[in-house]
Amino acid sequence: MKNFIKNGDRMTWTNGTGAAVLSGDPVVVGDRVYVACVDILDGQSGELATTGVFRLPKKAATAVNQGKMAYLATATVDLSESATDAVQAGVFWASAAADDTHANVRLG
């Protein structure tokens, strides 16, 4: 195919956040959430995962349910089922109790 570019499971991103992004951190690019594959210093480029299931920080004292939409709060950078002031991250892959600090999310 003359028009094939790549599989699309990784995206090169330039960090302009003013801080280092660590491998495994959720990263908001436009209207989507991706996950850093490596540590990416401010001003540097690195790869972000665009697909897959990842264990990410969950809002404290909040239970989440398998199959519900997962949203990443832009101010606190944690997941919940609330779309208020948040970017859609994907779908909760499994339920997590209120006292769990992380939840499994399928990006997308």
Side-chain angles (χ1 to χ4, degrees):
M1 291 179 286
K2 293 189 285 184
N3 58 344
F4 180 80
I5 296 172
K6 64 190 294 185
N7 287 331
D9 59 343
R10 299 282 188 267
M11 175 174 56
T12 302
W13 171 73
T14 301
N15 180 358
T17 65
V21 170
L22 301 180
S23 176
D25 282 352
V27 176
V28 176
V29 179
D31 295 331
R32 300 294 302 264
V33 174
Y34 305 105
V35 175
C37 298
V38 297
D39 294 347
I40 307 170
L41 299 176
D42 186 47
Q44 299 296 310
S45 295
E47 295 292 301
L48 303 178
T50 62
T51 62
V53 178
F54 295 88
R55 184 169 173 77
L56 298 173
K58 182 187 68 61
K59 184 175 180 178
T62 304
V64 295
N65 297 293
Q66 183 178 36
K68 296 293 281 184
M69 297 305 297
Y71 296 91
L72 185 74
T74 52
T76 56
V77 193
D78 54 12
L79 296 162
S80 73
E81 293 177 11
S82 173
T84 304
D85 297 322
V87 176
Q88 183 181 347
V91 175
F92 285 109
W93 199 248
S95 296
D99 60 345
D100 289 332
T101 59
H102 289 75
N104 296 340
V105 175
R106 183 182 185 280
L107 297 180

